Amino acid sequence: MKKLLLMLVLIVPLSGYASEFHTSNEFLMYYNDITGNGKNQSSLTDGFNYMDTLNLYGSDERDGLKYNYNLGLKFTDDRRNDVKNVSITNLNGSFNKDDHSLSLGDIFESFSQYTLASSLKGAEYKFKKDGSRIPEVTAVFGYPYPRWDSVWKDPKTVVTKRQVYGTRIHEDLGDLNLGLNYLKANDVKVVNDTTKYDSKNYSFDMDYIIMPGLTLNGEYAKSDYDEKISATSEKGDAYRMEIVGDADPSRVSIEYENIDPDYLSLLGSAVSDRKKIKTKWTYKYSKLKTFNTGLLWYRDNLDGQKTATTYSLRPEFSMSVKKIIPSRPYSYANFSYKFDRKYGNNSEKDHYFNVNYRDKLNEIDNDTNLGYTLYKTDSVRDASEINFNTSFNTRLESSDCVYTPQLNLGSWYSNDELANQTDKIYEYSLGLGYEKPASNITADIRFGQNFLRKEVGDDSDKLFASLNVYYRTTVMNLDSTVFLRAGYNNYNFSTDSNDFREKSISLGFNTAF
């Protein structure tokens, strides 16, 4: 809390000197009443609680120095919402002068796929001289903490202290972009004794426009790491190459990737022990018809150390058609099929079929979806699923009011041949939206039921209803919105001891300038 007050003392006075300053705030007070023998299954917190989110932003320029800052705070006493009463959601300050820039706080710099593709809490320096062939240089230092509380080692949010620093050198040669990357990650202190890494990643990436509509991009990377708990050291390589052709009426991409079993990227994106080939082709047959095809193939056990190799093959196809019914200008349909085939330790053959249809019937919009999935894994799974949902909505205007009624219907059917079980879900909901622009009022109400029927386990019936009302006004000459939200959920199970009910009501307002 002392650290938070210090930040406010330092940042808030700057708002008086900023040429641009904005703030937004939303305050919410809510009450939940949870009853029934199964109330411990509820995801809500019983009783009165509050939550407030505050965001500050400012920017200015003085003597050639441009700077901006932002601070986000959350206040709440609801432990299901946050483990802390006060927490920092974002904190950043950026400074720029001539060819130099410095960012402190939340850093969202991405070097390359195999090195750095994660946010940090720390510092970033960048040198970039526009109109020059001098390479752009970026350096970062920080920690990949998920929360600011972890920075000062709060016991409730403590995580592994992983220190990170690295640099990227980037050269833009017009049609050719080149990058060199280095990243060092060291686990200074871990919260468990499972793993403790000290790793380095090096990579070279490029992006080359061969000709208009034809692009080549790729990356080659090496990793070198020590895992101190198991006292192991490994080195590995990773590389990928993709060529993309994009010229009407087609767009084609072909990608090849090979990642060694011993390649480790703690802050990048890489699946070790994988060789992959991926292709996609989009073809606009006409203004009304588009075809999409794709193929993904990959395998593991690249070093032959596993007892068996798993191969995966995933072809897919889809077709979308506008005006599928010529007499209906808003009619649209999409058909898709995907086959997921794995073989190795277990043979897996999964089929995914889906049909979507959208149309406008007079003034009523309709969206209908039907899916069928067949799962087959040798001696493990033999099941099928059918999923259906449809919605109808329209917009009705009367004098100075607008009404938007909506009807949703859905069902799900699952049949497990090996377990000899069949499960079903049926659901419907009715909704009505309301707008009165002259009075700055919007509202919506919804009511529905959900029925789950299981051959093994609890059946359940759920009754749900919600009401939301928003009123736009001014508070202290600031544009604001006052809102009221109410909800009701009634869960009934075939085992009576699991029944529970939730009643909730929320009152709040948000404002910004």
Side-chain angles (χ1 to χ4, degrees), residues 297-334:
W297 174 91
Y298 61 89
R299 54 158 291 196
D300 63 359
N301 198 21
L302 302 188
D303 58 359
Q305 297 300 306
K306 296 180 179 179
T307 56
T309 302
T310 299
Y311 297 86
S312 180
L313 183 67
R314 294 181 182 176
E316 59 183 272
F317 170 81
S318 68
M319 177 180 67
S320 60
V321 184
K322 299 177 182 178
K323 294 185 181 180
I324 189 170
I325 302 176
S327 61
R328 308 200 60 80
Y330 296 101
S331 62
Y332 168 88
N334 179 271

Side-chain angles (χ1 to χ4, degrees), residues 9 88 223 238 336 345 396 407:
V9 169
I88 300 174
S223 72
S336 66
N345 283 327
L396 306 174
L407 168 65

Side-chain angles (χ1 to χ4, degrees), residues 80-95:
R80 291 180 185 266
N81 191 288
D82 201 303
V83 296
K84 300 285 293 180
N85 284 350
V86 183
S87 59
I88 300 174
T89 56
N90 61 80
L91 174 64
N92 176 264
S94 298
F95 308 87

Side-chain angles (χ1 to χ4, degrees), residues 4 33 44 57 89 111 122 145 159 162 217 269 334 337 412 438:
L4 176 60
D33 180 27
L44 303 179
Y57 171 83
T89 56
F111 282 3
Y145 289 130
V159 294
R162 177 167 291 164
N217 67 82
S269 176
N334 179 271
Y337 168 72
W412 173 81

Side-chain angles (χ1 to χ4, degrees), residues 381-419:
R381 191 179 190 188
D382 186 356
S384 60
E385 291 181 358
I386 299 175
N387 184 65
F388 169 80
N389 58 75
T390 185
S391 66
F392 300 88
N393 64 83
T394 188
R395 180 182 175 90
L396 306 174
E397 298 186 14
S398 174
S399 62
D400 61 343
C401 298
V402 178
Y403 300 91
T404 52
Q406 185 178 52
L407 168 65
N408 295 296
L409 302 172
S411 65
W412 173 81
Y413 172 90
S414 174
N415 181 38
D416 191 326
E417 294 287 348
L418 296 182

Side-chain angles (χ1 to χ4, degrees), residues 185-288:
N186 181 33
D187 291 345
V188 179
K189 185 176 181 180
V190 296
V191 295
N192 56 56
D193 294 330
T194 305
T195 56
K196 187 177 183 181
Y197 288 108
D198 184 359
S199 72
K200 304 181 187 71
N201 292 88
Y202 314 83
S203 85
F204 165 77
D205 64 270
M206 55 86 69
D207 192 320
Y208 178 47
I209 301 176
I210 302 173
M211 63 177 66
L214 186 62
T215 303
L216 177 69
N217 67 82
E219 181 178 3
Y220 174 75
K222 297 182 72 68
S223 72
D224 183 357
Y225 74 89
D226 299 321
E227 202 291 294
K228 299 179 181 179
I229 303 298
S230 60
T232 59
S233 298
E234 300 291 350
K235 296 180 180 180
D237 296 348
Y239 54 91
R240 64 173 183 84
M241 190 66 67
E242 181 184 33
I243 186 166
V244 179
D246 191 356
D248 282 339
S250 292
R251 186 182 193 278
V252 180
S253 65
I254 303 174
E255 180 184 357
Y256 175 79
E257 182 178 50
N258 191 100
I259 304 177
D260 288 351
D262 294 325
Y263 184 82
L264 176 69
S265 180
L266 296 175
L267 288 97
S269 176
V271 179
S272 61
D273 193 18
R274 173 172 288 191
K275 179 176 289 186
K276 180 181 77 173
I277 298 174
K278 182 179 181 180
T279 66
K280 283 188 175 182
W281 177 31
T282 299
Y283 177 59
K284 296 179 181 178
Y285 178 78
S286 67
K287 292 182 178 180
L288 302 180

Side-chain angles (χ1 to χ4, degrees), residues 116 371 447-448:
L116 176 62
F447 167 86

